[in-house]
Amino acid sequence: MIHFDQVSKRYEGGHEALSSISLHIEKGEMVFLTGHSGAGKSTLLKLITRIEKASSGQLRVNGQILNRLRRSQIPHFRRNLGIVHQDHQLLMDQTVYDNVALPLIIAGEHPKDVTRRVRAALDKVGLLEREEYRPIQLSGGEQQRVGIARAVVKKPAILLADEPTGNLDPGLSRDIMELFSEFNRVGTTVLIASHDLGLIARLNYRVASLQDGKLMSTPFEGRRT
Amino acid sequence: MSTRTPNRPTTKKPVQNSANRRRDSAPGNRSAWLRHHRDCASQSLMRLLRSPVSSALTWLVIAISLTLPTLFYLALSSLQAQTEQWQEGGQITLYLEQGLPDSDGDRLTRELDARPEVARAYYISADEAWTSFQETLSINRQALGFTDNPLPASIVVVPSQQNSSQLEALQLIIRGLPEVEDVQLDLAWIDRLNRFLELIYSIVTGLAVLLGVAVLLVVGNTIRLAIESRKDEIRVIKLLGATEAFVRRPFVYLGIWYGLLGGVAAWILVTAVAWWLRSPLTAFLSTYGLEANVAWLGFTDTLVLILASIGVSLAGAHIALQRHLKDAEPR
Ligand SMILES: Nc1ncnc2c1ncn2[C@@H]1O[C@H](COP(=O)(O)OP(=O)(O)O)[C@@H](O)[C@H]1O
Ligand SMILES: [Mg+2]
């Protein structure tokens, strides 16, 4: 599903954020990406979402070779991804409902389907009663769950999250991770960047570890039974 | 972005797991595209109306910029209508040979009247001329010491065309007539007036172009600010798979609305000013014995004004989008 072959990323200014990464994540897998701050976790995710372009090597995501993707193809490619940010990136002047509906509106879904699917997604993250609220009226954990509902509302093939629990206390972090596990169980490929090693260790998933832009180890998949 | 969902049913009944029933239902189709256009149009208008003061600044500048050249244009068309009235003064008087019978004079008048370049021709017999001359001076021929009528018969020709080359051609034909003794022309000033109007017309066109550029810049700047204030939102929706056209659409509609509001406001201003000037202008012209003929913006003129306003605003919006949307790539 996600295939890095000797991928390097050098930012303008000469700093090499990722060096010769080879990483393969299969369909339906759930993988954690760890590493110290500045190790290159966010950069790796930005290559997958095509926010940044690899300097060398080949990156294949969902059957598409990203280096060859034309500018006009990027929007349609991104519609197959669900993206969760540390700071959730919700639109603060719109309701929870409208925020979650965004990916469906962008894809041109029929309003009838939009309503149904938004409610289904909000139901899954346990925020159905909050659909008319503004993000500002919600707690940090609830905001992050809205962000997750928005990421999964289109049932993307791949779910990416960059420090999704970075701003949350341990109890809430566990709940969020449990949510990701649930989506993985119904077949979504999940990749989560996190430096919270304690949390990751408890979850028993495959871990890819970055250090100064290099991949340290990709131990064998240890899926929970 | 125009991403709010209109016409959403307000029922709060949870819909359990129904999302699993059907996967993607033909996205990107034509009705979705139309729906987004409709939503963008209404939401851009609402956005504009929600900050009435700042948006009024923009469309008022548009309105005033368009009002000036439109008023000049209106004044010009009024003047042109006026010169048609004045054309009566642009007549040619043909003095016929002494002693030419009235029947010949009448025939010649009818011949001239039938020519396409002649609007009207009428015959003034020697007797008529003499009578009117005496009436004007309030004396009789004996007092003047004349026993016979010294005046010739004449034909007054009113040309139908103002075009100077056509007038000259007509003049040549008239001078060539054997019965004509002398020709008196009163046309040169019309020619001069027309040249003057052409000059004014060029000046007005130049002014219109300049003020059009001003509208372009004003709308461009307004759209730039709108993009600026929604940069974060643009970044988010681009990351969620919004196409370039989807991102641009609400701003394009914003440009259309500004153009429409500015154009309509310009029409109101122009009409108000024309109404305001109507009576002083009538009074002024009547002192010259002229009938005021203040033009109004007709249906076509109004349509052109509003479409031009929308067109220029759209161009301004496109320039702003071209230059500033690049700065709102996801990070
Ligand atoms: N846009 C950028 N331009 C230049 N250097 C960058 C940019 N983004 C990240 N970097 C650098 O790349 C390295 C990896 O950063 P990042 O991927 O954000 O690490 P992490 O998410 O693991 O903390 C860091 O040294 C960072 O300074
Ligand atoms: Mg990071």
Side-chain angles (χ1 to χ4, degrees), chain B residues 16 28 51 118 122 131 158 178 193 199 211 228 253-254 266 270 286 294 310 317 327:
Chain B
Q16 227 84 21
S51 51
V118 174
Y122 51 92
T131 313
V158 179
L193 179 69
L199 172 71
L211 290 168
E228 210 73 50
Y253 273 101
L254 202 58
V270 167
S286 68
V294 180
I310 292 174
D327 308 339

Side-chain angles (χ1 to χ4, degrees), chain A residues 11 15 17 36-43:
Chain A
Y11 280 111
H15 183 78
H36 60 90
S37 175
K41 305 182 293 294
S42 296
T43 302

